[in-house]
């Protein structure tokens, strides 16, 4: 099976051809945004961080910014820095440039302030755009796809229908040799032992237990026990009887394949197959982390409906709640409620989802992409100082 | 045939209803590609589970092909399965490794 993809100089394949502006800190984010306005179609990532960060939190933001530039959906990159921020501007440039993609840089303090930096940035972005706007996709094998799976605004239809169906689509891509990424560590709590059985090795299982344990410990620092009170009274009223049931409802959106490895937030997997990335359950930060991990397409199951998109990868919305599909038809792409009504099996809808992924890879735009939804946020694991 | 419940995995011993149903209703569902029916012995609210076969005391409740808890009493086909007759095995804090 094949799709049309953009082969980048490093061999990775994207399904979009974005010109991207990455501000290295919040201080350069307005200039980055202004430059993007002058070259239609350019995407400027919002960045609320990049300075006064320490330790693992600093490393995480740095890794995420670099890896977003490396994402195969991105054709060319302009890095915009202030000059004195914590994130090392030129390291970001050099690392992204290892992909062989064209990269330029503007530093506000060196250019001489807003207007001069904006002019320099617009000139450089125009030059980059001229290099990449006409790149043509070529026929590539389906294994070149990197799929991120997310769930948000869940209700009883999520665990029952849309997530298992998403899992079928995940299994199809994994079996074909592609990458699949599951995240939202908070949601494994209660079923991590089941996930661990699918780990490729005892080391991977240990790492999985560790990220779940660390997640619970972080909550305890704020005097919050994530396991207590789960399932919630609302869940129980809705029919969820145990934390295992709740957690399994989330986990099976990534199918049944062997787990190749556990990724840090924003880390790129080294091989094909199913990976778990350590992210919070918060959808936007979760998706943003997986984009840094190289995800080129996102499927997002929802029960109550959410409009969330992403700046550099198309997000396909799936709901099995018929009422939600009708009410939020402007945002929902796939109606999986036929599983609930019995008109289709989970397997049939899973195949439909997989077929849609291929169509989107070939250029069809899901509703979030048409509407310009570009929600984005980098996960922070320590306070700013 | 109209379907009123979903069984996710062919090893499951519970089905989840997709609407509110009264005791006495015959519920149809797919299991592993074939169609089956069970008559409800109790009212089952939307999103809740009922047993599709007999479940003995201390037997694993299976959904998604996995254990979601254990029964605390004998449950017969068509009865409601929920927090009143099953309990979680995993709700304890720091219980990561067993």
């Amino acid at each position: 099976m094949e799709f049309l993809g953009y082969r980048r100089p490093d061999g990775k394949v994207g399904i979009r051809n974005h010109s991207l502006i990455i501000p290295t800190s919040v201080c350069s984010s307005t200039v980055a945004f202004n430059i993007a306005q002058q070259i239609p179609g350019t995407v400027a990532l919002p960045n609320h961080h990049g300075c006064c960060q320490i330790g693992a939190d600093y490393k995480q933001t740095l890794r995420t910014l670099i890896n977003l530039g490396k994402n195969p959906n991105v054709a060319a990159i302009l890095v915009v820095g202030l000059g004195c921020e914590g994130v090392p501007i030129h390291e970001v440039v050099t690392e992204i440039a290892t992909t062989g993609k064209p990269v330029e840089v503007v530093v506000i303090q060196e250019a001489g302030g807003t207007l001069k930096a904006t002019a320099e940035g617009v000139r450089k972005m125009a030059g980059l755009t001229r290099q990449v706007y006409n790149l043509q996709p070529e026929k590539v094998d389906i294994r070149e796809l990197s799929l991120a799976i997310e769930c948000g605004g869940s209700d009883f239809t999520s665990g029952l229908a849309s997530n298992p169906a998403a899992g079928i689509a995940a299994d199809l891509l994994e079996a074909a040799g592609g990458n699949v990424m599951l995240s939202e560590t908070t949601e494994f709590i209660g079923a991590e032992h089941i996930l661990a059985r699918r780990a490729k090795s005892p080391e991977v299982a240990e790492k999985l237990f560790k990220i779940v344990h660390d997640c619970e410990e972080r909550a305890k620092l704020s005097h919050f026990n994530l396991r207590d009170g789960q399932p919630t009274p609302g869940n129980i009223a809705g029919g969820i009887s145990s934390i295992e049931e709740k957690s399994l409802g989330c986990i099976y959106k990534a199918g049944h394949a062997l787990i190749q490895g556990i990724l840090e937030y924003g880390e790129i997997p080294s091989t094909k197959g199913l990976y778990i990335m350590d992210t919070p359950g918060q959808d936007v930060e979760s998706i943003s982390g997986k984009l840094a991990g190289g995800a080129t397409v996102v499927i997002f199951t929802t029960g109550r409906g959410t409009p969330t998109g992403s700046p550099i990868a198309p997000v396909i919305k799936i709901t099995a709640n018929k009422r939600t599909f009708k009410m939020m038809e402007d945002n929902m792409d796939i109606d999986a409620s036929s599983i609930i009504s019995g008109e289709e099996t989970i397997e049939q809808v899973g195949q439909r989802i997989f077929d849609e992924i291929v169509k989107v890879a070939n250029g069809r735009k899901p509703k979030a992409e048409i509407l310009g939804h570009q929600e984005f946020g980098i996960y922070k694991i320590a306070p700013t100082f | 045939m109209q379907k009123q419940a979903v069984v996710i995995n062919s090893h499951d011993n519970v089905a989840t209803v997709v609407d509110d149903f009264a005791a006495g209703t015959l519920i149809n569902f797919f299991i592993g590609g074939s169609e089956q029916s069970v008559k409800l012995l109790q009212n089952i609210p939307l999103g809740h589970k009922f047993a599709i076969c007999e479940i003995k005391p201390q037997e694993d409740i299976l959904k998604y092909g996995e254990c979601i808890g254990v029964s605390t009493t004998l449950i017969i086909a068509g009865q409601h399965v929920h927090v009143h007759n099953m309990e979680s095995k995993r709700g304890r804090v720091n219980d990561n490794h067993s």
Side-chain angles (χ1 to χ4, degrees):
Chain A
M1 172 161 249
E2 292 179 322
F3 68 99
L4 288 171
Y6 297 89
R7 177 85 60 185
R8 302 298 173 201
D10 63 354
K12 299 247 168 94
V13 177
I15 63 171
R16 297 294 187 263
N17 199 41
H18 289 299
S19 289
L20 187 66
I21 304 184
I22 301 179
T24 44
S25 69
V26 61
C27 301
S28 56
S29 52
T30 296
V31 168
F33 179 78
N34 289 346
I35 295 166
Q37 305 314 297
Q38 297 297 313
I39 309 286
T42 306
V43 177
L45 287 178
N47 182 354
H48 303 287
H49 312 310
C51 202
C52 302
Q53 292 176 264
I54 61 170
D57 183 55
Y58 160 79
K59 287 191 186 129
Q60 180 163 286
T61 293
L62 176 58
R63 174 175 67 242
T64 304
L65 290 172
I66 289 168
N67 289 349
L68 284 162
K70 290 186 177 181
N71 184 295
N73 282 354
V74 174
I77 303 93
L78 175 69
V79 177
V80 179
L82 171 59
C84 56
E85 62 262 75
V87 165
I89 304 162
H90 294 286
E91 184 179 328
V92 172
V93 174
T94 312
E95 284 299 315
I96 296 175
T98 61
T99 59
K101 297 193 284 197
V103 190
E104 295 273 9
V105 62
V106 172
V107 181
I108 297 170
Q109 285 166 344
E110 288 167 24
T114 305
L115 299 179
K116 291 175 209 163
T118 304
E120 185 184 327
V122 174
R123 192 174 306 112
K124 284 179 170 168
M125 196 70 239
L128 286 169
T129 303
R130 283 193 301 272
Q131 286 183 62
V132 301
Y133 82 91
N134 211 27
L135 289 174
Q136 297 300 314
E138 62 188 63
K139 276 203 185 137
V140 296
D141 189 86
I142 196 79
R143 67 189 307 271
E144 302 286 7
L145 268 183
S146 178
L147 174 68
I149 311 192
E150 186 73 23
C151 71
S154 297
D155 70 2
F156 87 99
T157 65
S158 308
L160 200 58
S162 46
N163 284 351
I168 299 288
D171 283 341
L172 287 170
L173 182 61
E174 198 272 348
N179 267 111
V180 177
M181 268 183 266
L182 172 68
S183 64
E184 304 177 273
T185 307
T186 326
E187 299 187 351
F188 306 155
I189 296 173
E192 68 272 26
H193 57 299
I194 297 173
L195 258 190
R197 270 191 252 126
R198 283 169 43 193
K200 183 180 150 183
S201 69
E203 290 75 34
V204 174
E206 257 325 291
K207 217 169 161 190
L208 176 64
F209 286 131
K210 182 170 194 314
I211 64 169
V212 171
H213 172 81
D214 288 353
C215 179
E216 290 189 75
E217 290 303 302
R218 265 196 304 277
K220 283 188 205 154
L221 291 175
S222 295
H223 310 290
F224 196 87
N225 188 324
L226 286 169
R227 217 173 271 254
D228 268 359
Q230 289 294 345
T232 64
N235 293 149
I236 292 174
I240 306 263
S241 311
S242 67
I243 195 175
E244 299 97 298
E245 185 178 4
K246 181 172 177 174
S247 200
L248 280 167
C250 301
I251 284 169
Y252 274 109
K253 64 183 182 283
H256 304 81
L258 218 55
I259 299 164
Q260 300 298 315
I262 309 297
L263 303 168
E264 289 186 306
Y265 185 87
E267 184 187 350
I268 300 172
S270 52
T271 69
K272 296 291 187 183
L274 173 64
Y275 278 81
I276 288 176
M277 183 180 284
D278 184 19
T279 79
Q282 200 255 56
D283 299 328
V284 174
E285 290 178 3
S286 172
I287 292 173
S288 300
K290 289 183 288 208
L291 295 182
T296 50
V297 61
V298 183
I299 60 175
F300 191 135
T301 65
T302 178
R304 298 157 73 156
T306 126
T308 306
S310 95
I312 58 173
V315 178
I316 302 167
K317 287 284 165 43
I318 303 159
T319 183
N321 184 317
K322 186 132 202 112
R323 186 165 176 274
T324 300
F325 187 82
K326 284 210 175 86
M327 285 265 295
M328 288 185 71
E329 206 158 2
D330 299 331
N331 298 96
M332 297 297 122
D333 298 295
I334 295 186
D335 181 0
S337 65
S338 49
I339 295 170
I340 306 283
S341 65
E343 290 160 82
E344 277 185 293
T345 63
I346 290 172
E347 287 71 26
Q348 285 169 327
V349 177
Q351 181 66 57
R352 252 202 303 129
I353 294 171
F354 182 77
D355 294 342
E356 185 67 16
I357 291 169
V358 178
K359 290 195 180 108
V360 168
N362 283 327
R364 185 202 311 234
K365 291 189 177 185
K367 291 172 183 175
E369 195 175 9
I370 296 273
L371 290 175
H373 275 278
Q374 299 188 337
E375 288 78 2
F376 178 81
I378 299 178
Y379 175 40
K380 216 158 178 307
I381 51 180
T384 318
F385 283 89
Chain B
M1 191 162 63
Q2 258 269 285
K3 309 288 181 302
Q4 294 90 11
V6 178
V7 173
I8 297 181
N9 185 288
S10 52
H11 299 292
D12 293 353
N13 52 18
V14 293
T16 305
V17 296
V18 301
D19 204 341
D20 297 314
F21 290 108
T25 313
L26 188 68
I27 301 292
N28 306 306
F29 50 91
F30 279 120
I31 178 162
S34 68
E35 289 168 7
Q36 275 184 41
S37 311
V38 166
K39 190 156 164 199
L40 294 183
L41 298 178
Q42 294 163 304
N43 296 338
I44 312 286
L46 180 153
H48 286 235
K49 301 176 289 299
F50 66 93
I52 58 175
C53 58
E54 183 183 278
I55 301 172
K56 297 183 179 47
Q58 307 308 312
E59 192 179 332
D60 285 352
I61 309 289
L62 297 175
K63 186 176 173 182
Y64 304 99
E66 303 282 357
C67 174
I68 62 166
V70 68
S71 61
T72 55
T73 184
L74 175 70
I75 306 172
I76 58 181
Q79 281 188 320
H80 193 194
V81 178
H82 200 29
V83 293
H84 62 285
N85 57 7
M86 66 169 277
E87 61 187 13
S88 164
K89 283 166 137 180
R90 304 293 305 183
R92 295 186 305 282
V93 174
N94 293 325
D95 187 14
N96 284 342
H97 291 259
S98 49

Short mmCIF file of all heavy atoms in Angstrom, two decimals, chain A residues 60 64 149-152 182-189 211 215 218 226 253 263-266 276-290 377-381:
data_model
loop_
_atom_site.label_atom_id
_atom_site.label_comp_id
_atom_site.label_asym_id
_atom_site.label_seq_id
_atom_site.Cartn_x
_atom_site.Cartn_y
_atom_site.Cartn_z
N GLN A 60 14.00 19.27 28.31
CA GLN A 60 12.78 18.84 27.61
C GLN A 60 12.32 19.88 26.62
O GLN A 60 11.96 19.55 25.48
CB GLN A 60 11.69 18.55 28.64
CG GLN A 60 10.37 18.10 28.02
CD GLN A 60 9.50 17.45 29.06
OE1 GLN A 60 9.75 16.31 29.48
NE2 GLN A 60 8.47 18.15 29.48
N THR A 64 12.30 19.38 22.59
CA THR A 64 11.03 19.51 21.89
C THR A 64 11.13 20.54 20.76
O THR A 64 10.66 20.27 19.64
CB THR A 64 9.91 19.90 22.88
OG1 THR A 64 9.85 18.92 23.92
CG2 THR A 64 8.55 19.96 22.20
N ILE A 149 -1.96 8.87 18.34
CA ILE A 149 -3.34 8.60 18.73
C ILE A 149 -3.64 9.31 20.04
O ILE A 149 -2.87 9.22 20.99
CB ILE A 149 -3.59 7.10 18.90
CG1 ILE A 149 -3.05 6.35 17.69
CG2 ILE A 149 -5.07 6.82 19.12
CD1 ILE A 149 -3.47 4.93 17.59
N GLU A 150 -4.77 10.00 20.06
CA GLU A 150 -5.12 10.81 21.22
C GLU A 150 -6.59 10.59 21.55
O GLU A 150 -7.39 10.29 20.65
CB GLU A 150 -4.91 12.29 20.84
CG GLU A 150 -5.09 13.30 21.94
CD GLU A 150 -3.95 13.30 22.94
OE1 GLU A 150 -2.84 12.86 22.59
OE2 GLU A 150 -4.19 13.72 24.08
N CYS A 151 -6.97 10.69 22.84
CA CYS A 151 -8.40 10.73 23.16
C CYS A 151 -8.65 11.89 24.10
O CYS A 151 -7.79 12.24 24.92
CB CYS A 151 -8.93 9.42 23.70
SG CYS A 151 -8.41 8.95 25.36
N GLY A 152 -9.80 12.54 23.95
CA GLY A 152 -10.11 13.68 24.79
C GLY A 152 -11.61 13.91 24.83
O GLY A 152 -12.31 13.57 23.89
N LEU A 182 1.36 6.19 21.28
CA LEU A 182 0.34 6.36 22.31
C LEU A 182 0.97 7.21 23.41
O LEU A 182 2.18 7.12 23.63
CB LEU A 182 -0.05 4.99 22.88
CG LEU A 182 -0.98 4.94 24.10
CD1 LEU A 182 -2.37 5.42 23.76
CD2 LEU A 182 -1.02 3.54 24.69
N SER A 183 0.17 8.04 24.09
CA SER A 183 0.75 8.81 25.19
C SER A 183 -0.30 8.97 26.30
O SER A 183 -1.15 8.10 26.46
CB SER A 183 1.27 10.15 24.67
OG SER A 183 0.21 10.94 24.17
N GLU A 184 -0.26 10.07 27.02
CA GLU A 184 -1.20 10.35 28.12
C GLU A 184 -1.00 9.37 29.28
O GLU A 184 -1.88 8.57 29.62
CB GLU A 184 -2.65 10.33 27.62
CG GLU A 184 -2.89 11.32 26.47
CD GLU A 184 -4.30 11.26 25.90
OE1 GLU A 184 -4.56 10.44 25.01
OE2 GLU A 184 -5.13 12.05 26.39
N THR A 185 0.18 9.45 29.89
CA THR A 185 0.58 8.54 30.98
C THR A 185 -0.45 8.44 32.09
O THR A 185 -0.69 7.36 32.63
CB THR A 185 1.93 9.02 31.57
OG1 THR A 185 2.86 9.17 30.51
CG2 THR A 185 2.46 8.03 32.58
N THR A 186 -1.07 9.58 32.43
CA THR A 186 -2.06 9.62 33.51
C THR A 186 -3.15 8.57 33.30
O THR A 186 -3.70 8.02 34.25
CB THR A 186 -2.73 11.01 33.56
OG1 THR A 186 -1.78 12.00 33.20
CG2 THR A 186 -3.28 11.32 34.94
N GLU A 187 -3.45 8.29 32.05
CA GLU A 187 -4.57 7.40 31.75
C GLU A 187 -4.21 5.92 31.79
O GLU A 187 -5.08 5.07 31.66
CB GLU A 187 -5.17 7.79 30.40
CG GLU A 187 -5.68 9.22 30.46
CD GLU A 187 -6.43 9.66 29.24
OE1 GLU A 187 -6.44 8.92 28.25
OE2 GLU A 187 -7.00 10.78 29.29
N PHE A 188 -2.91 5.60 31.99
CA PHE A 188 -2.54 4.19 32.12
C PHE A 188 -2.75 3.71 33.54
O PHE A 188 -2.75 2.50 33.79
CB PHE A 188 -1.05 3.96 31.81
CG PHE A 188 -0.59 4.48 30.49
CD1 PHE A 188 0.73 4.81 30.31
CD2 PHE A 188 -1.45 4.62 29.42
CE1 PHE A 188 1.19 5.28 29.08
CE2 PHE A 188 -1.01 5.10 28.19
CZ PHE A 188 0.33 5.42 28.04
N ILE A 189 -2.84 4.68 34.46
CA ILE A 189 -2.89 4.31 35.88
C ILE A 189 -4.06 3.37 36.12
O ILE A 189 -5.20 3.70 35.83
CB ILE A 189 -3.00 5.57 36.77
CG1 ILE A 189 -1.73 6.41 36.61
CG2 ILE A 189 -3.20 5.17 38.23
CD1 ILE A 189 -1.80 7.75 37.33
N ILE A 211 7.48 5.46 34.51
CA ILE A 211 6.82 6.71 34.13
C ILE A 211 5.45 6.83 34.81
O ILE A 211 5.03 7.94 35.16
CB ILE A 211 6.70 6.93 32.60
CG1 ILE A 211 5.82 5.89 31.90
CG2 ILE A 211 8.08 7.03 31.96
CD1 ILE A 211 5.50 6.26 30.44
N CYS A 215 4.60 9.74 37.56
CA CYS A 215 3.41 10.58 37.36
C CYS A 215 2.62 10.68 38.67
O CYS A 215 2.22 11.77 39.09
CB CYS A 215 2.56 9.97 36.25
SG CYS A 215 1.05 10.85 35.87
N ARG A 218 4.54 12.83 41.22
CA ARG A 218 4.48 14.27 40.94
C ARG A 218 3.19 14.85 41.47
O ARG A 218 3.15 15.95 42.00
CB ARG A 218 4.55 14.52 39.42
CG ARG A 218 5.93 14.80 38.89
CD ARG A 218 5.87 15.40 37.49
NE ARG A 218 5.15 14.58 36.54
CZ ARG A 218 5.66 13.56 35.87
NH1 ARG A 218 6.91 13.21 36.07
NH2 ARG A 218 4.92 12.89 35.03
N LEU A 226 -3.65 10.46 42.47
CA LEU A 226 -4.34 10.22 41.21
C LEU A 226 -5.16 8.94 41.21
O LEU A 226 -6.08 8.78 40.43
CB LEU A 226 -3.32 10.16 40.06
CG LEU A 226 -2.71 11.50 39.64
CD1 LEU A 226 -1.53 11.30 38.70
CD2 LEU A 226 -3.75 12.39 38.97
N LYS A 253 -7.02 2.22 22.42
CA LYS A 253 -7.01 3.01 21.18
C LYS A 253 -5.71 2.83 20.42
O LYS A 253 -5.63 3.20 19.25
CB LYS A 253 -7.26 4.49 21.46
CG LYS A 253 -6.20 5.19 22.29
CD LYS A 253 -6.65 6.63 22.53
CE LYS A 253 -5.63 7.42 23.31
NZ LYS A 253 -5.67 7.09 24.75
N LEU A 263 9.18 6.53 25.26
CA LEU A 263 9.86 7.76 24.85
C LEU A 263 9.69 8.84 25.91
O LEU A 263 8.62 8.97 26.51
CB LEU A 263 9.26 8.29 23.54
CG LEU A 263 9.29 7.34 22.34
CD1 LEU A 263 8.40 7.89 21.23
CD2 LEU A 263 10.71 7.16 21.84
N GLU A 264 10.73 9.65 26.07
CA GLU A 264 10.57 10.86 26.86
C GLU A 264 9.71 11.83 26.05
O GLU A 264 9.57 11.68 24.83
CB GLU A 264 11.94 11.49 27.12
CG GLU A 264 12.79 10.71 28.10
CD GLU A 264 14.07 11.45 28.43
OE1 GLU A 264 14.79 11.82 27.49
OE2 GLU A 264 14.33 11.66 29.63
N TYR A 265 9.18 12.84 26.70
CA TYR A 265 8.37 13.84 26.02
C TYR A 265 9.18 14.47 24.89
O TYR A 265 10.28 14.96 25.11
CB TYR A 265 7.93 14.92 27.01
CG TYR A 265 6.99 15.93 26.41
CD1 TYR A 265 5.61 15.71 26.40
CD2 TYR A 265 7.48 17.12 25.87
CE1 TYR A 265 4.74 16.64 25.85
CE2 TYR A 265 6.62 18.06 25.32
CZ TYR A 265 5.25 17.82 25.32
OH TYR A 265 4.40 18.74 24.78
N GLY A 266 8.65 14.42 23.66
CA GLY A 266 9.33 15.06 22.54
C GLY A 266 10.47 14.27 21.93
O GLY A 266 11.19 14.78 21.07
N ILE A 276 5.30 4.24 23.33
CA ILE A 276 4.54 5.03 24.30
C ILE A 276 5.38 6.24 24.68
O ILE A 276 6.56 6.09 25.01
CB ILE A 276 4.21 4.20 25.54
CG1 ILE A 276 3.14 3.17 25.18
CG2 ILE A 276 3.71 5.08 26.69
CD1 ILE A 276 2.79 2.23 26.30
N MET A 277 4.78 7.43 24.60
CA MET A 277 5.49 8.64 25.00
C MET A 277 4.93 9.13 26.33
O MET A 277 3.70 9.13 26.53
CB MET A 277 5.34 9.73 23.93
CG MET A 277 6.13 11.00 24.26
SD MET A 277 5.97 12.30 23.03
CE MET A 277 7.05 11.68 21.75
N ASP A 278 5.80 9.55 27.21
CA ASP A 278 5.41 10.05 28.53
C ASP A 278 4.90 11.48 28.38
O ASP A 278 5.67 12.42 28.25
CB ASP A 278 6.63 10.00 29.46
CG ASP A 278 6.29 10.40 30.90
OD1 ASP A 278 5.11 10.36 31.27
OD2 ASP A 278 7.23 10.74 31.64
N THR A 279 3.58 11.62 28.35
CA THR A 279 2.99 12.96 28.28
C THR A 279 1.86 13.04 29.30
O THR A 279 1.38 12.00 29.77
CB THR A 279 2.38 13.30 26.89
OG1 THR A 279 1.09 12.68 26.77
CG2 THR A 279 3.27 12.86 25.74
N PRO A 280 1.42 14.25 29.63
CA PRO A 280 0.23 14.36 30.46
C PRO A 280 -1.01 13.99 29.65
O PRO A 280 -0.94 13.82 28.43
CB PRO A 280 0.20 15.85 30.84
CG PRO A 280 0.98 16.54 29.79
CD PRO A 280 1.98 15.55 29.25
N GLY A 281 -2.15 13.87 30.35
CA GLY A 281 -3.40 13.58 29.65
C GLY A 281 -3.96 14.79 28.93
O GLY A 281 -4.85 14.67 28.10
N GLN A 282 -3.40 15.96 29.22
CA GLN A 282 -3.87 17.20 28.58
C GLN A 282 -3.61 17.09 27.08
O GLN A 282 -2.47 16.93 26.63
CB GLN A 282 -3.12 18.38 29.22
CG GLN A 282 -3.78 19.73 29.03
CD GLN A 282 -3.10 20.60 28.00
OE1 GLN A 282 -2.93 20.18 26.85
NE2 GLN A 282 -2.71 21.79 28.40
N ASP A 283 -4.68 17.18 26.29
CA ASP A 283 -4.61 16.83 24.87
C ASP A 283 -3.60 17.64 24.07
O ASP A 283 -2.89 17.10 23.22
CB ASP A 283 -5.98 17.00 24.20
CG ASP A 283 -7.04 16.12 24.81
OD1 ASP A 283 -6.68 15.01 25.27
OD2 ASP A 283 -8.20 16.55 24.84
N VAL A 284 -3.58 18.96 24.29
CA VAL A 284 -2.74 19.81 23.45
C VAL A 284 -1.26 19.54 23.71
O VAL A 284 -0.47 19.37 22.78
CB VAL A 284 -3.10 21.29 23.67
CG1 VAL A 284 -2.15 22.20 22.91
CG2 VAL A 284 -4.54 21.55 23.22
N GLU A 285 -0.88 19.47 24.99
CA GLU A 285 0.52 19.18 25.31
C GLU A 285 0.90 17.76 24.87
O GLU A 285 2.03 17.52 24.42
CB GLU A 285 0.77 19.35 26.81
CG GLU A 285 0.72 20.82 27.20
CD GLU A 285 0.92 21.06 28.67
OE1 GLU A 285 1.17 20.10 29.43
OE2 GLU A 285 0.83 22.23 29.09
N SER A 286 -0.06 16.86 24.96
CA SER A 286 0.19 15.47 24.54
C SER A 286 0.46 15.40 23.04
O SER A 286 1.44 14.80 22.59
CB SER A 286 -1.03 14.63 24.93
OG SER A 286 -0.94 13.33 24.40
N ILE A 287 -0.40 16.02 22.25
CA ILE A 287 -0.21 16.01 20.80
C ILE A 287 1.08 16.72 20.43
O ILE A 287 1.84 16.24 19.58
CB ILE A 287 -1.42 16.66 20.08
CG1 ILE A 287 -2.67 15.78 20.25
CG2 ILE A 287 -1.12 16.88 18.60
CD1 ILE A 287 -3.94 16.42 19.71
N SER A 288 1.34 17.88 21.05
CA SER A 288 2.55 18.65 20.73
C SER A 288 3.80 17.81 20.97
O SER A 288 4.76 17.86 20.19
CB SER A 288 2.60 19.94 21.55
OG SER A 288 1.47 20.75 21.27
N GLY A 289 3.80 17.02 22.04
CA GLY A 289 4.94 16.14 22.32
C GLY A 289 5.12 15.09 21.23
O GLY A 289 6.23 14.78 20.80
N LYS A 290 4.02 14.53 20.78
CA LYS A 290 4.09 13.50 19.75
C LYS A 290 4.50 14.10 18.40
O LYS A 290 5.17 13.43 17.60
CB LYS A 290 2.76 12.75 19.66
CG LYS A 290 2.54 11.84 20.88
CD LYS A 290 1.28 11.01 20.82
CE LYS A 290 0.03 11.83 21.02
NZ LYS A 290 -1.09 11.05 21.61
N GLY A 377 1.16 23.47 22.69
CA GLY A 377 1.73 23.80 23.99
C GLY A 377 2.80 22.81 24.37
O GLY A 377 2.67 21.61 24.11
N ILE A 378 3.90 23.31 24.97
CA ILE A 378 4.98 22.42 25.41
C ILE A 378 4.79 22.12 26.89
O ILE A 378 4.60 23.03 27.70
CB ILE A 378 6.37 23.08 25.16
CG1 ILE A 378 6.55 23.36 23.66
CG2 ILE A 378 7.49 22.16 25.66
CD1 ILE A 378 7.87 24.05 23.33
N TYR A 379 4.83 20.84 27.22
CA TYR A 379 4.67 20.35 28.58
C TYR A 379 5.83 20.82 29.45
O TYR A 379 6.99 20.72 29.06
CB TYR A 379 4.62 18.84 28.50
CG TYR A 379 4.57 18.05 29.78
CD1 TYR A 379 3.81 18.46 30.87
CD2 TYR A 379 5.27 16.85 29.87
CE1 TYR A 379 3.76 17.69 32.02
CE2 TYR A 379 5.22 16.07 31.02
CZ TYR A 379 4.47 16.49 32.09
OH TYR A 379 4.41 15.73 33.21
N LYS A 380 5.48 21.32 30.62
CA LYS A 380 6.49 21.83 31.54
C LYS A 380 6.52 20.96 32.79
O LYS A 380 5.47 20.64 33.34
CB LYS A 380 6.15 23.28 31.90
CG LYS A 380 7.35 24.15 32.08
CD LYS A 380 7.01 25.61 31.90
CE LYS A 380 8.25 26.43 32.15
NZ LYS A 380 8.91 26.15 33.44
N ILE A 381 7.72 20.58 33.26
CA ILE A 381 7.77 19.67 34.40
C ILE A 381 8.43 20.30 35.63
O ILE A 381 8.69 19.64 36.63
CB ILE A 381 8.47 18.34 34.05
CG1 ILE A 381 9.82 18.60 33.38
CG2 ILE A 381 7.58 17.49 33.17
CD1 ILE A 381 10.56 17.33 33.00
#
